[in-house]
Amino acid sequence: RSEALLADLITLVDDLKRVQVDGILNAVAASDMREGIDQLFEGCVATLRKTLELHRTAGELNSDRARQALLDERERLLSEVERSVERLSDLLTELRMYAATGKTDASLDDLAGALSRTLQMARETDEEADRWMSLGRDEKAIAGVVAKQKETT
């Protein structure tokens, strides 16, 4: 699933970069949009990396509850990336519609606002993933200490 999401992200970002927004948006807005798309892409890729780390760490844990907590967090992060992919797809559709017809179902301000909200959600998701990763490392460290104690007794 992570690989499929990454492939979708790459396709959408490449297509978004090819959409001619120069006649649609002023230069500053076009630049801001491109920068926002790049930031969102980078955030999603970082989140996908974390999902792989969570999966790896969960596989190393002995505690079923701790393992399931990490897998649940991984699933939540994958869902966040899926929502970002959907938003990028919506943005691409709206920009293409506007470029072709001069009309869109949403105002360009709405699109910019949606991209901004998506970026904020990506940042928050990334911060939460970092907290979960540290919990996974703590659980693994605790399990190692417990195992060593069992070996010495």
Side-chain angles (χ1 to χ4, degrees):
R1 190 164 147 208
S2 298
E3 288 134 8
L5 287 169
L6 181 59
D8 289 349
L9 279 168
I10 290 169
T11 299
L12 287 167
V13 169
D14 286 348
D15 283 358
L16 280 163
K17 287 181 179 181
R18 283 194 293 266
V19 171
Q20 295 298 319
V21 296
D22 298 331
I24 301 170
L25 304 172
N26 67 47
V28 173
S31 175
D32 288 348
M33 186 192 74
R34 287 185 184 109
E35 183 179 324
I37 290 167
D38 288 342
Q39 288 175 4
L40 182 59
F41 176 78
E42 290 169 14
C44 286
V45 169
T47 298
L48 288 171
R49 280 191 190 111
K50 288 175 184 172
T51 67
L52 296 173
E53 291 174 24
L54 285 167
H55 187 263
R56 183 189 51 75
T57 301
E60 296 173 0
L61 296 178
N62 295 316
S63 166
D64 289 338
R65 287 181 64 191
R67 181 176 26 261
Q68 190 57 51
L70 291 180
L71 291 175
D72 290 346
E73 177 60 11
R74 178 180 185 263
E75 185 60 34
R76 190 188 70 74
L77 293 175
L78 286 169
S79 294
E80 287 291 327
V81 173
E82 281 179 339
R83 281 193 286 280
S84 293
V85 166
E86 291 167 7
R87 289 184 182 106
L88 284 173
S89 179
D90 292 345
L91 177 63
L92 178 61
T93 300
E94 292 292 331
L95 286 172
R96 282 188 173 160
M97 183 186 309
Y98 194 85
T101 66
K103 298 177 184 175
T104 180
D105 291 339
S107 76
L108 295 177
D109 287 339
D110 292 343
L111 294 174
L115 181 59
S116 177
R117 288 187 299 279
T118 299
L119 286 170
Q120 182 59 34
M121 283 178 36
R123 284 186 201 102
E124 291 168 3
T125 298
D126 195 46
E127 290 169 5
E128 191 167 335
D130 286 341
R131 287 192 294 275
W132 275 97
M133 290 304 300
S134 68
L135 288 174
R137 285 189 292 272
D138 292 345
E139 178 70 26
K140 202 161 91 176
I142 291 167
V145 169
V146 170
K148 284 183 184 179
Q149 286 179 341
K150 287 182 181 179
E151 289 174 5
T152 59
T153 56

